Amino acid sequence: MAYEQPGRDGTVEPSSGVPAAVLENVFDDPAHGEPGRDRVGVHIGWEVVLLLGAAAVAWLLWREDPDVLRDAALRSLLVDVVALGLLALAAGLSLRTAAPNLAIGPVAVAAGLHFAEQSDRGVVAAVLPAAIVAAVGGLLLGLVVVVLHVPGWAASLGAAAAVIVYIERRSAPVLVQGEFDPRRHAVYLAAGFAAVAVLGGLFGAIRAIRRLVGRFRPVADPALRRGGVAGVVTAGALVGSMALAMLAGVLLAANGTGPVAPTTGLDWTALAVGVALLAGTSAYGRRGGVLGTLLAVALVSAFLAYAQARDWTVSRWAVGAVALAVGLFVTRLVERYGRPGTATATTEPAEPAGDGAISTGWAMPRPRPMDDWPALSTPSTESPVDPWHTPRWQAEPRRWDDDER
């Protein structure tokens, strides 16, 4: 007879003590989770605040300079909104998978420089190589994060440093060589971004998809691996974030009125991550809203246009810092009021499979509590009757008396 560790052959129950069948329906993270499903009420409340803020800033912009919201100026503003929105989507996608990608800003600047140099060959010929390089870079970054199981922000910071080395090879700004003008398609680009942002938020609100996307989020020791499915989803999200950042850089370069400057792009990273957090995406991963990205991008873009209309000198670093500060506060709200409530099902603790000391094949019954024992009869308080001293012996006739008669 072989001796084994208890529970090796059986299904291991999680530390919560709730059976796996119940966890699949009650917990957002079946292996380790809080009882109940994530709540979206806090996201709806915050998105109402974002909507009111965006409407107020847009009204201020209209009062300051109505021409910004008309004709060519409006189309240029819409392209800027789409470019910032793509960067916010890239940041939000990586944040949802708990592997924030800090290389999106440098990737956008590098893509803009490449497009400015190669755009005279045509849009497809200029964008396709950049898309391939971005996808390969995202795949390599994903492999580093998944195989080594290291934090996404640390690995992507190294990737950002490598991209900045490519950017610094250019000592002077680069003029856009081609004639591609995204302002002619501004309405379609804005509609496409809005559709992607809203549909992504709606799909992210579905419990199964939210659980799948957020599987990489640590639940105990952050160095513990979260499984193959979590690794595949995280790597795919990093590839997608790189591709979105590349498209944003192309739009920024094509929509600009001057040459593309070879900057580090980290200010774009700070702004994009700040907008994603401002939208209601948790810095810990998994949790996020529905309309938050669209509304946060509209709010920040309207403020930047309003600052330009007022001739204010506002850097992206300053706006990104404010967005990050408010976004971290929103993360605290989301994690506090968006976490599951109380469990919807109560279960008895599972019986152990074995004695827990020798083997799983020999099982000993658990001792029953004292309250379950059958009640013993209560002894009588009366004195026992002696059968030799009962009146019956004296009332009945004795046999030897009859014989004497």
Side-chain angles (χ1 to χ4, degrees):
M1 180 178 64
Y3 295 95
E4 300 175 353
Q5 296 179 357
R8 174 172 291 183
D9 296 332
T11 301
V12 179
E13 296 291 341
S15 59
S16 60
V18 183
V22 178
L23 286 176
E24 286 293 334
N25 296 322
V26 178
F27 282 45
D28 258 346
D29 192 337
H32 307 83
E34 296 164 307
R37 299 183 179 93
D38 288 346
R39 295 177 289 186
V40 298
V42 62
H43 296 285
I44 296 175
W46 177 247
E47 287 169 4
V48 171
V49 175
L50 289 176
L51 177 61
L52 296 176
V57 177
W59 180 74
L60 292 176
L61 177 61
W62 174 264
R63 290 195 57 187
E64 183 66 27
D65 188 2
D67 293 335
V68 175
L69 301 178
R70 295 195 186 104
D71 302 331
L74 176 60
R75 291 192 293 270
S76 179
L77 177 61
L78 288 177
V79 175
D80 288 336
V81 169
V82 174
L84 179 58
L86 292 176
L87 284 174
L89 286 176
L93 180 60
S94 62
L95 282 171
R96 280 280 191 125
T97 57
N101 186 0
L102 302 184
I104 53 177
V107 167
V109 173
L113 290 171
H114 171 79
F115 179 80
E117 294 173 345
Q118 305 294 329
S119 58
D120 56 344
R121 300 169 51 191
V123 176
V124 176
V127 173
L128 185 58
I132 295 175
V133 173
V136 173
L139 182 59
L140 293 176
L141 176 61
L143 289 176
V144 171
V145 172
V146 171
V147 174
L148 299 182
H149 196 78
V150 294
W153 65 266
S156 62
L157 188 59
V163 177
I164 292 174
V165 171
Y166 168 81
I167 296 174
E168 288 181 343
R169 295 177 57 188
R170 294 160 178 80
S171 58
V174 180
L175 287 171
V176 179
Q177 304 298 319
E179 297 179 355
F180 172 69
D181 188 3
R183 291 180 286 269
R184 293 180 296 182
H185 313 285
V187 176
Y188 300 104
L189 291 174
F193 158 68
V196 171
V198 174
L199 289 177
L202 288 174
F203 280 110
I206 300 175
R207 179 170 61 95
I209 297 178
R210 183 177 64 250
R211 176 194 298 176
L212 177 65
V213 172
R215 288 177 70 96
F216 202 72
R217 169 173 166 155
V219 293
D221 186 351
L224 295 178
R225 298 182 182 275
R226 297 287 287 146
V229 176
V232 172
V233 172
T234 302
L238 290 175
V239 172
S241 66
M242 288 293 196
L244 292 172
M246 181 274 304
L247 292 176
V250 170
L251 290 179
L252 289 174
N255 192 43
T257 57
V260 180
T263 60
T264 61
L266 293 177
D267 53 345
W268 283 111
T269 296
L271 181 60
V273 174
V275 171
L277 294 177
L278 186 65
T281 306
S282 174
Y284 296 101
R286 194 178 75 194
R287 296 189 174 106
V290 177
L291 302 175
T293 301
L294 180 63
L295 296 175
V297 169
L299 172 61
V300 174
S301 299
F303 173 77
L304 291 174
Y306 177 72
Q308 185 177 3
R310 294 292 302 268
D311 293 329
W312 293 348
T313 303
V314 179
S315 67
R316 285 187 291 269
W317 284 111
V319 179
V322 174
L324 282 170
V326 179
L328 293 176
F329 172 75
V330 175
T331 290
R332 186 66 264 157
L333 289 179
V334 168
E335 291 295 329
R336 172 62 181 85
Y337 298 104
R339 66 175 52 189
T342 58
T344 57
T346 58
T347 59
E348 295 293 334
E351 294 287 339
D355 55 12
I358 300 177
S359 68
T360 56
W362 295 87
M364 297 182 63
R366 296 180 61 184
R368 298 177 61 183
M370 297 294 293
D371 295 340
D372 295 340
W373 286 9
L376 299 177
S377 58
T378 305
S380 175
T381 57
E382 299 179 359
S383 302
V385 178
D386 188 356
W388 298 102
H389 295 281
T390 59
R392 180 173 61 88
W393 290 97
Q394 298 168 355
E396 294 181 357
R398 291 175 292 184
R399 183 174 298 179
W400 53 82
D401 292 339
D402 296 340
D403 294 341
E404 290 178 358
R405 293 176 185 175

